[in-house]
Amino acid sequence: MSTELLAPLDLAFWHLESDAHPMHLGALAVFDPVPGVAAQDLLELLGARAAAIPRLRMRVRDVLLPVGGAAWFTDKDFDVHHHVKRVVLPAGDFMAEATRLAGELMEQPLGRGLPPWQMYLLDSTGDGPFAVLVKLHHALADGMRAVAIGAGIFDQIASAGTGRGAVRRRNPVPHRSWLPGPYEAAGLAMDRLGDVRRALGVGASVVRASRLDLRATTALTARSSGTRRLATAELDAETVQRVRRAEGGTANDVLLAVVAGALRRWMVERGEALPGADPRALVPVSRRRPGGAATGNRLSAYLLGLPVGEPDARERLRVVRTGMDRNKAAGPLRGAGAVAVLADQLPALAHRFGAPLAGNAARMLFDILVTSVPLPRSALSLGGCPLRAVYPMAPLARGQSLAVALSTYGGRVQVGLVADGKALPDLDRLASAVEEELRELHALVPTVPAPA
């Protein structure tokens, strides 16, 4: 039976979870139907392809060593029917019903006695579109790894192994010894010294960046209710690129500025006073290297003040670009945003007993998570049904009310907003503000032709 220790950051995500704060990632993939493909056929196809992904057959169990640690074990009683289910939506606006249900399903923590993932086929009684909701525990994968795992359900990925449409067979998870030999131990000791020095530097940055006065509460940091609500928005990717070409920076800078402007619009419309200090966004950064370990989380992050107090859209973009340039110059292993790197250096026992404290401290560092999730550039399908859009979903930190995730597919930037359902009942208005903000920003910038 294959086994693999949870890396420290994976263990942190495992222990950060509570009933009111489930730590799973999600995605709502929407497909166009094709004649002759029935819902039951799609359900069986989903099950067969998910069952063929070795990572989805593994569950977490505690281990004796290291003390407080846990490991992934292949579940010898694995039954894909416990994980893949169908829900028939009522008649009406399909996307409205699908996002409503997706929000409700995202409230529910994944069972800990089974491999921590679920897939739901959401369809209606008519011939319209259907969707697949995917939930993966954050301990299982970060955003990039989640995409790699979830992509196994698509026709183009599943058939790559044989070229005949069969499910792709991936290499099994290798067995990893928990006790290094003497020469390996010496090398690990030297590496550990470097890790400790780096952790001390990050720890000092975290302390300096922490905010002790949290009395200025906004809707972004309201008391958690445990409920979840999902809203979606779509942006034209070419419009984002036009703004980037005109103003400089990166497409991600433009999207961060759009989020800042949307928050400003939304706060003003709901009559909420703009905060005296810019809300802080945690912007995850992948540390995954090509050809490196495929499992677990390899993350750092940047902290960025979102200039919601700035009334000019172009100036907001300039402020965002300057802040991100400063972050990149420092690098993803420096500064308070690299708190995930610090978590990666802590022993297992510290995560087991320190997770509640760490979860409550998140608000001292940031107010909102804004993450970009890369997707394959090629067209994808499921059972021949073309993929229309993928709306990513990020978990909410304890004491926070909104997380924003973005992905680009088919010439569109799909935005998934996950919120505390009671704190942000007007989440749909914020989603509309995202689309309005890009239109305004694009109207303000000079026209720059695309490169030939």
Side-chain angles (χ1 to χ4, degrees):
M1 181 165 55
S2 298
T3 59
E4 175 196 338
L5 282 177
L6 269 74
L9 186 53
D10 302 344
L11 198 62
F13 286 128
W14 189 248
H15 290 305
L16 277 170
E17 184 170 69
S18 68
D19 287 344
H21 297 90
M23 289 301 298
H24 49 253
L25 310 170
L28 183 67
V30 183
F31 298 84
D32 289 320
V34 296
V37 179
Q40 188 59 36
D41 298 331
L42 293 168
L43 188 66
E44 292 175 2
L45 185 62
L46 272 177
R49 289 181 175 170
I53 300 173
R55 196 69 181 165
L56 297 185
R57 290 176 166 268
M58 303 190 80
R59 58 180 289 258
V60 176
R61 284 190 357 208
D62 292 342
V63 296
L64 294 176
L65 293 174
V67 177
W72 294 104
F73 287 79
T74 300
D75 187 353
K76 65 181 187 305
D77 298 320
F78 175 79
D79 184 350
V80 75
H81 297 98
H82 292 153
H83 302 268
V84 179
K85 302 175 182 179
R86 180 191 178 195
V87 180
V88 180
L89 301 177
D93 185 324
F94 175 80
M95 279 303 302
E97 290 296 333
T99 53
R100 176 194 60 78
L101 180 60
E104 294 177 2
L105 292 172
M106 288 295 286
E107 292 179 12
Q108 304 170 11
L110 294 163
R112 293 207 158 204
L114 297 171
W117 65 275
Q118 288 175 335
M119 292 184 189
Y120 294 88
L121 174 65
L122 311 179
D123 69 313
S124 59
T125 54
D127 297 326
F130 66 92
V132 175
L133 174 66
V134 180
K135 294 169 57 175
L136 295 172
H137 200 285
H138 213 330
L140 185 67
D142 54 28
M144 288 185 68
R145 182 58 182 156
V147 170
I149 292 173
I153 70 171
F154 294 113
D155 300 335
Q156 293 75 10
I157 310 300
S159 63
T162 64
R164 297 181 300 168
V167 175
R168 179 184 179 185
R169 301 291 177 178
R170 304 192 179 191
N171 293 330
V173 177
H175 176 78
R176 188 172 88 187
S177 173
W178 301 349
L179 297 176
Y183 294 104
E184 184 183 2
L188 288 173
M190 294 301 294
D191 290 342
R192 194 64 181 169
L193 288 175
D195 291 342
V196 169
R197 285 193 294 268
R198 184 169 61 195
L200 289 173
V202 174
S205 298
V206 169
V207 172
R208 288 194 298 269
S210 297
R211 301 166 299 179
L212 300 181
D213 185 0
L214 299 177
R215 292 173 296 176
T217 300
T218 70
L220 299 181
T221 54
R223 184 183 298 275
S224 300
S225 69
T227 60
R228 292 292 180 270
R229 183 177 177 86
L230 170 67
T232 63
E234 283 208 18
L235 308 174
D236 179 61
E238 178 54 31
T239 300
V240 173
Q241 291 297 336
R242 289 194 196 105
V243 175
R244 178 196 63 79
R245 289 193 293 269
E247 299 294 301
T250 67
N252 198 48
D253 295 341
V254 176
L255 293 173
L256 288 166
V258 166
V259 170
L263 288 173
R264 176 185 172 84
R265 287 172 180 267
W266 173 72
M267 289 179 180
V268 170
E269 286 186 9
R270 72 191 329 239
E272 183 174 333
L274 295 175
D278 291 337
R280 282 181 180 173
L282 186 75
V283 184
V285 180
S286 175
R287 295 192 292 132
R288 196 173 298 282
R289 297 178 180 177
T295 58
N297 285 268
R298 299 290 297 167
L299 289 173
S300 183
Y302 296 138
L303 286 180
L304 176 71
L306 296 177
V308 300
E310 171 55 53
D312 183 79
R314 291 182 71 184
E315 180 62 16
R316 283 195 295 270
L317 175 54
R318 188 197 67 78
V319 172
V320 166
R321 190 176 67 243
T322 300
M324 287 301 287
D325 286 346
R326 188 182 305 116
N327 280 327
K328 293 169 188 175
L333 300 183
R334 295 173 180 264
V339 65
V341 179
L342 176 61
D344 225 6
Q345 315 305 322
L346 297 177
L349 202 59
H351 289 301
R352 183 175 291 272
F353 292 106
L357 179 62
N360 290 323
R363 189 182 157 202
M364 298 174 65
L365 279 178
F366 66 97
D367 303 297
I368 179 175
L369 175 72
V370 184
T371 183
S372 294
V373 181
L375 293 179
R377 293 179 180 271
S378 59
L380 300 172
S381 61
L382 175 65
C385 301
L387 176 65
R388 176 195 297 180
V390 179
Y391 301 97
M393 290 173 276
L396 289 182
R398 195 182 304 266
Q400 297 176 351
S401 302
L402 177 66
V404 181
L406 310 102
S407 62
T408 301
Y409 176 79
R412 308 287 291 174
V413 180
Q414 281 102 32
V415 186
L417 300 99
V418 174
D420 183 287
K422 292 187 177 179
L424 275 69
D426 54 346
L427 188 64
D428 289 338
R429 179 62 205 123
L430 178 57
S432 297
V434 170
E435 298 173 349
E436 293 166 5
E437 180 64 19
L438 179 62
R439 286 196 293 269
E440 177 180 334
L441 183 58
H442 182 239
L444 291 175
V445 302
T447 301
V448 176

